[in-house]
Amino acid sequence: MVIVYTNFTLFDAKSGNMVENQSLVAEKGSITYAGDTGGYTPTTEDVVHDLGGKTVLPGLMDLHVHIGSPFTGGHDERHYLRTKSDQRHYYALSHAYSYLKAGFTTIRDVGSGGKWAPALRRSIDQGIISGPRLQVAGWMGQWGDQERMGPDELLRGSRDSSEVMTGTEGVMHMVRDKKADGFDMIKTATTGGVLHGMESKVERSLWRSEELEAMVDEAERLGMYVAAHAHGDAGIQAALRAGVRTIEHGSLMSEESMKLILEKGHYLVPTHSAPNLIKRPEVRKNLPPEVVEKGDYVTKMAIQQHRIAFERGVKIALGTDAPVGGQHCHSAEELELMVTQVGMTPTQALQSATVVAAEAIRRDDLGVLEVGRLADLVVVNGDPTQDITIMQDPAVIEMVVKGGQIVVKNGVLGV
Ligand SMILES: [Zn+2]
């Protein structure tokens, strides 16, 4: 069946231009025509949707989500103790729906615990349930790490304590296990975290360089890549030197690291939504004092350093770290933060969530609405290149199309 979307203004993610009076034809999920409305004459068998001059964006992408984790409002310990670990599957389902409704048709899950995320991805791909396209990461924390957060029951639930990931052999073995489990890529950490335990220092990096190199080599050999959580600069540099493709957070990125990431042509995923948690008084009071202190410092530095990085030409892709900063599916707020905190124009913010994000995760079939790519698009009532904040209004998202099919219309899923 040929589906035609006609009479719209296209956001050309490559050039950043808005192009009026466009049409797009989708067949078997992919775009077979994209251009002037006059350039394609529908047949009587075609299904034609006249979009009445509205704006069409490529489906948006959020590259840093923990899809199985709900927002706990700072009550992490209570949540972990009172939640069955299998409940993550149902949280993930509900979150998947919400991203699709918000116009985010591709989500990268960077670790939700357990081995179920590849099954969720497959269930969505097979059309068993609705959801965004998923790229899912197998988690490989730093062995002996300082990020062990919470009681032993939680730690046993989130990872198999028999896993040995030391030395190049151990690391390569683990990468192959992740491949066998069906993960698309590897997520590691090369520094401590903000919300993690008291001993979790953002300046400390535990992997040895040969271990990180073995991880990247083995992942690349098996058709995967590595993303690294890294706040402090030692960990950022260690990750970049080893060939890690996406630096997550990158809060204390130095000028030297900026040079390195530019040389490699790799990507920064800044996650400015995450510190919203620390800023909210009702959540702030629930957090340990050392977490608040660390969070305030890292947030201040990230805004300062990411502005410089963007000025230097570092490629920045959108990611939120949801649900750290708040409920899932508020990824459109990150578009605004790209403008207010990183210094992008609204057009550049949209590019960070489309063409740049697609390149970062090696999906050259997404991110741009052109012939040969997948027909994932969002119909927007208004012009987000003039006012990026409109994307946060659910009423503005008129229609979401995935693989050529309308999956959300006026906020209703599954039409
Ligand atoms: Zn995260």
Side-chain angles (χ1 to χ4, degrees), residues 64-66 110-111 187 229 248-249 271 320-322 324:
H64 195 123
V65 164
H66 302 279
V110 287
K187 164 84 182 306
H229 156 114
E248 312 297 309
H249 319 302
T271 67
T320 55
D321 209 2
V324 171

Side-chain angles (χ1 to χ4, degrees), residues 217-291:
D217 284 355
E218 195 64 356
E220 295 283 343
R221 192 176 74 82
L222 301 178
M224 304 193 287
Y225 68 90
V226 180
H229 156 114
H231 285 289
D233 199 52
I236 295 172
Q237 285 200 25
L240 286 170
R241 292 222 161 83
V244 164
R245 185 170 177 82
T246 65
I247 299 294
E248 312 297 309
H249 319 302
S251 311
L252 309 182
M253 182 176 263
S254 67
E255 297 264 356
E256 205 182 332
S257 293
M258 292 174 203
K259 276 194 202 122
L260 206 52
I261 199 169
L262 280 166
E263 259 168 45
K264 301 263 182 189
H266 287 180
Y267 298 81
L268 170 66
V269 182
T271 67
H272 282 273
S273 299
N276 279 344
L277 180 82
I278 313 279
K279 288 185 199 144
R280 290 158 69 162
E282 76 277 16
V283 176
R284 198 178 171 92
K285 69 176 169 36
N286 298 330
L287 295 169
E290 76 276 7
V291 165

